[in-house]
Amino acid sequence: MLPNKDEQLVISKISHELRNPLTIIYSTLQLIESRHPETRTFDHWQELMQDVEFMSVLLDDLSRFNHAADALNLSTFSFRPFWEYISLSFAASIADTKLEYSSKIDPSINQITGDKTKLQEVFLNLLRNAADAAKPDGSISMTATQKADSIIITVKDTGCGISKDRLSSIFEPFTTYKKNGTGLGLSICQNIIQAHHGTIAVHSTPEKGSIFQITLPTKQSSY
């Protein structure tokens, strides 16, 4: 669900008010650690640092969620180089793992109009989620096909899957079933896709994997 203007103002104010003291706290902890390296061996020190880092990630995600559907920076660009950049970037991130990754793009796909940066965020987010869900020696694939005036992007993994009772809520803000997740990643993805007048859906089978499918129009009516 997209936040309305009043909710956006409240979220922005809360994020701003929290970020400044959190930055000071984290900087102070880093200073203590640099001057007194022995603190790294103290009980719960690493947990403390991780908690502060998690709060910082949460605020970043909250800001992205708040602005995901803001005015898009639209441009018309060639889809293939965009696709190849995302694939290479993700492949590099799992180079030291046993995960198998493959990508395939329909050669008929040409140009698309959209917010390049926000769409990149969506695809990389889904791929990272797939990597988190996949078994150590599992596989991940991403395909793109053309259908009339839309592009259909599918991200598939052979991971743990999502139970039926959880599927209906995974796009809701702050819903997460993975350790150290903020629960905003999929909400951000949905907001960005909806802002492009597209759709995102998921099909999943526990212990077999998940399939996320995005349908994007190649043109934007407001462009």
Side-chain angles (χ1 to χ4, degrees):
M1 180 183 296
L2 303 179
N4 59 40
K5 294 298 181 183
D6 289 338
E7 290 171 334
Q8 282 187 316
L9 288 173
V10 171
I11 293 172
S12 292
K13 182 175 177 58
I14 292 174
S15 297
H16 178 74
E17 293 299 324
L18 288 175
R19 187 177 298 281
N20 288 338
L22 182 63
T23 300
I24 294 172
I25 291 170
Y26 190 55
S27 296
T28 302
L29 290 173
Q30 288 181 312
L31 180 62
I32 292 171
E33 188 176 88
S34 66
R35 291 184 177 179
H36 304 281
E38 68 275 12
T39 56
R40 298 171 187 166
T41 64
F42 289 179
D43 289 345
H44 310 302
W45 178 264
Q46 293 304 320
E47 289 86 346
L48 172 63
M49 295 295 286
Q50 289 170 4
D51 286 344
V52 175
E53 289 168 359
F54 173 77
M55 289 174 66
S56 180
V57 170
L58 178 58
L59 286 174
D60 288 341
D61 280 359
L62 191 60
S63 178
R64 285 197 290 272
F65 169 73
N66 199 36
H67 298 291
D70 281 357
L72 300 176
N73 183 19
L74 296 175
S75 65
T76 299
F77 55 92
S78 178
F79 192 76
R80 180 174 288 277
F82 169 76
W83 175 270
E84 290 174 347
Y85 171 81
I86 291 171
S87 291
L88 288 172
S89 177
F90 176 68
S93 73
I94 61 169
D96 295 330
T97 73
K98 293 183 178 180
L99 289 172
E100 180 182 333
Y101 171 66
S102 63
S103 69
K104 185 178 181 181
I105 180 172
D106 187 334
S108 67
I109 296 176
N110 189 9
Q111 292 183 324
I112 186 173
T113 297
D115 188 316
K116 200 172 183 179
T117 300
K118 287 185 176 181
L119 289 177
Q120 176 181 311
E121 179 181 355
V122 169
F123 298 143
L124 286 175
N125 191 305
L126 291 179
L127 287 168
R128 292 190 196 104
N129 282 353
D132 288 340
K135 297 171 183 177
D137 57 350
S139 64
I140 300 166
S141 66
M142 184 168 70
T143 62
T145 57
Q146 180 93 37
K147 185 176 181 181
D149 293 327
S150 296
I151 296 175
I152 300 173
I153 300 97
T154 302
V155 177
K156 181 179 180 181
D157 69 70
T158 57
C160 58
I162 306 166
S163 62
K164 189 174 294 185
D165 60 310
R166 292 178 173 180
L167 275 177
S168 61
S169 63
I170 62 169
F171 291 109
E172 294 178 5
F174 303 108
T175 298
T176 184
Y177 301 105
K178 64 180 183 180
K179 186 179 180 181
N180 297 325
T182 65
L184 288 171
L186 288 177
S187 295
I188 293 169
C189 290
Q190 185 183 58
N191 289 355
I192 291 173
I193 295 303
Q194 289 179 345
H196 282 82
H197 308 291
T199 61
I200 180 170
V202 58
H203 306 278
S204 189
T205 304
E207 303 307 321
K208 290 188 177 180
S210 301
I211 301 173
F212 282 83
Q213 188 174 82
I214 292 172
T215 301
L216 276 175
T218 54
K219 298 180 181 178
Q220 297 294 315
S221 57
S222 59
Y223 188 66

